[in-house]
Amino acid sequence: MPQDIAGSEQMLANWNQNIQERAARYQEMATRVQGMTISERSSDGSIEILVGSNGILQNLVIQESASGKRMAEVSGEIMKLLQRAQSRIPALLQEAMAETIGTQDETANVLFNEAKKNFPAPPAEEPVRTPYDRNEMNFRVEEDAPPPSRPTPPPPPRRRRPSDDDDDFGGESVLS
């Protein structure tokens, strides 16, 4: 019986050590992820953002060169940059997991899948339009189609032909 107790104590000690090592790896991963930031910059350099690993905007810099843009363009660019930065979070999380707890861990896979769901890839970029594109006039000649026709007036009401009936109404209705 002492061997069974010694074996059980050893098993509990191994289990406890395994849990402590795993907790230390998770703590290391959490520390790494918590310190990660992602920055994105607009193509012309007029807007720059910094996003934390939780997806929250930490810093926004709008250069003076953006003053010539319409506010709708600036806000749209900020949102595109934010989404682009947030979409990089799952890859950073996966990298931190691979270096600390491994990618085979079930909890790590749940965290990664949740991050992919919360921070999906941004939509495809639309081609950049110049101010001339928005004000473009169309001088194209349409196909030689006939001009739209005017609606035809309804035909006049039809009168009944007088009959040989001797109704003294002259072939017309009593109500007319």
Side-chain angles (χ1 to χ4, degrees), residues 160-171:
R160 291 180 32 195
R161 295 169 72 205
S163 65
D164 290 340
D165 288 353
D166 194 17
D167 54 9
D168 291 323
F169 299 114

Side-chain angles (χ1 to χ4, degrees), residues 14-106:
N14 290 342
W15 184 67
N16 188 24
Q17 182 181 358
N18 188 9
I19 288 176
Q20 287 179 355
E21 288 173 359
R22 193 171 193 188
R25 288 193 315 264
Y26 271 96
Q27 185 59 47
E28 182 183 349
M29 182 194 77
T31 302
R32 281 188 186 192
V33 169
Q34 201 171 31
M36 291 180 174
T37 58
I38 303 162
S39 64
E40 284 287 338
R41 182 182 295 235
S42 62
S43 59
D44 65 358
S46 63
I47 303 169
E48 185 175 352
I49 66 165
L50 184 68
V51 174
S53 61
N54 56 2
I56 296 175
L57 181 65
Q58 292 182 344
N59 195 27
L60 169 64
V61 177
I62 302 174
Q63 302 293 331
E64 290 295 324
S65 60
S67 66
K69 294 182 179 181
R70 293 185 4 235
M71 290 297 109
E73 290 178 59
V74 173
S75 63
E77 185 69 27
I78 291 169
M79 292 307 295
K80 279 194 280 184
L81 293 172
L82 180 61
Q83 191 174 27
R84 200 163 62 204
Q86 288 174 337
S87 72
R88 292 175 42 202
I89 291 173
L92 290 178
L93 181 60
Q94 188 175 38
E95 181 182 319
M97 285 189 280
E99 294 171 357
T100 54
I101 60 176
T103 56
Q104 301 303 315
D105 188 274
E106 186 176 326

